Amino acid sequence: MVPEARTVLSMFDFGTYLRIPRTRARTSTTVTETFPVLARELRDIGDDVRAVPAPPIPVVPEPYSIRVAQTDISSPSAPDTEMVTEWMNRPHLAEAWEYDWPRERWHAHLQAQLDGSYSRPLIGSFKGKDIGYLEIYRAAKDQIAGVYPSDPHDIGMHAAIAELSVVNKGFGALLLPKIIASVFELDPKCRRIVFEPDYRNTVMRRLSEYAGGVFLGELDMRADRRIALFVVPRTPDDVPDMS
């Protein structure tokens, strides 16, 4: 459930870009770097896909909770923006996600999700303490739609546990089936939930299988991005035909 941050701009129309001024320490000159916002979101989609609303927000039992990340549209200094930026710059998440971005870029990334219908940024908590970041997205509006026959209501997920004290403590195996069940309940038209870990990520492959994922194969999303594709179908008939 870890996304790939590197992008190949020639493959898709990414639409919106973010320009961030940078000051080079050695020369004190200011340069502007340009980044795609929501780099995985597809723009060239059919009307049936475009009309599908944003993903539902899963409901999980206490002592866990999931909420939508909050931003300040006019400022990158909102508490959740600050928190997620700090989390994703921690070494274990910077290595896994490669989203070790500055606050301004995270502000744009979070706000773009809240403004559209492609995905939603979520904060996961345990006993009232925020411990992780999730993104839940419409697979038919994402790059992943290029490697399997997606349905407009399919859902994909990425997750990052920020607190090392709870990493490898069984939270994923405990919560993921509950999240899946909630999504299927909240969106009766959702036929399947998609997981696309890096093909070398044995931990996430086992977790996907544990959660009921059907393995569809190792596939190349891009030249630099090979995944192991799993889907959790609502019914056996909802497993996609990959032939």
Side-chain angles (χ1 to χ4, degrees):
M1 296 188 292
V2 176
E4 175 65 47
R6 290 185 292 271
T7 57
V8 181
L9 298 184
S10 62
M11 292 181 65
F12 300 101
D13 171 17
F14 294 119
T16 305
Y17 287 78
L18 173 68
R19 300 173 65 84
I20 300 178
R22 294 276 181 231
T23 300
R24 290 177 174 161
R26 291 184 178 180
T27 63
S28 296
T29 58
T30 299
V31 296
T32 298
E33 297 178 89
T34 303
F35 302 98
V37 178
L38 299 185
R40 291 179 47 138
E41 182 181 8
L42 302 181
R43 308 289 175 170
D44 185 13
I45 56 178
D47 291 341
D48 58 333
V49 174
R50 196 180 308 278
V52 174
I57 310 306
V59 178
V60 292
E62 295 182 351
Y64 307 97
S65 65
I66 294 175
R67 63 177 176 83
V68 178
Q70 300 298 309
T71 66
D72 181 341
I73 194 170
S74 63
S75 170
S77 298
D80 280 353
T81 305
E82 298 272 9
M83 180 175 66
V84 173
T85 300
E86 191 275 322
W87 281 352
M88 303 306 283
N89 278 270
R90 293 181 181 182
H92 71 292
L93 292 183
E95 179 181 3
W97 279 56
E98 298 184 352
Y99 278 23
D100 48 339
W101 302 334
R103 183 181 59 187
E104 292 80 6
R105 186 172 180 184
W106 266 109
H107 170 66
H109 184 76
L110 296 173
Q111 191 63 54
Q113 293 182 78
L114 297 173
D115 289 344
S117 61
Y118 159 61
S119 63
R120 285 292 179 263
L122 308 175
I123 304 295
S125 303
F126 176 63
K127 293 184 177 179
K129 178 178 174 59
D130 295 333
I131 61 170
Y133 174 72
L134 303 87
E135 290 183 355
I136 181 169
Y137 64 92
R138 289 294 185 188
K141 300 179 182 182
D142 182 88
Q143 288 181 3
I144 193 68
V147 298
Y148 88 103
S150 62
D151 183 84
H153 282 261
D154 284 358
I155 292 287
M157 298 181 194
H158 303 134
I161 297 179
E163 295 297 329
L164 284 173
S165 62
V166 298
V167 171
N168 296 326
K169 296 295 177 62
F171 278 68
L174 179 65
L175 279 176
L176 190 55
K178 293 177 172 57
I179 292 172
I180 290 170
S182 179
V183 169
F184 278 140
E185 180 180 359
L186 292 169
D187 186 352
K189 293 183 179 180
C190 177
R191 297 179 59 198
R192 55 185 77 101
I193 295 173
V194 181
F195 300 110
E196 28 114 349
D198 185 279
Y199 74 102
R200 297 161 294 189
N201 192 331
T202 57
V203 172
M204 294 311 303
R205 291 180 71 145
R206 288 197 299 268
L207 180 58
S208 298
E209 291 174 347
Y210 174 81
V214 176
F215 179 56
L216 299 184
E218 293 182 1
L219 304 166
D220 292 317
M221 283 184 66
R222 298 189 303 271
D224 64 344
R225 170 67 164 143
R226 186 168 181 81
I227 63 167
L229 182 63
F230 295 84
V231 299
V232 179
R234 181 181 288 272
T235 73
D237 291 339
D238 292 315
V239 177
D241 182 1
M242 299 292 288
S243 61

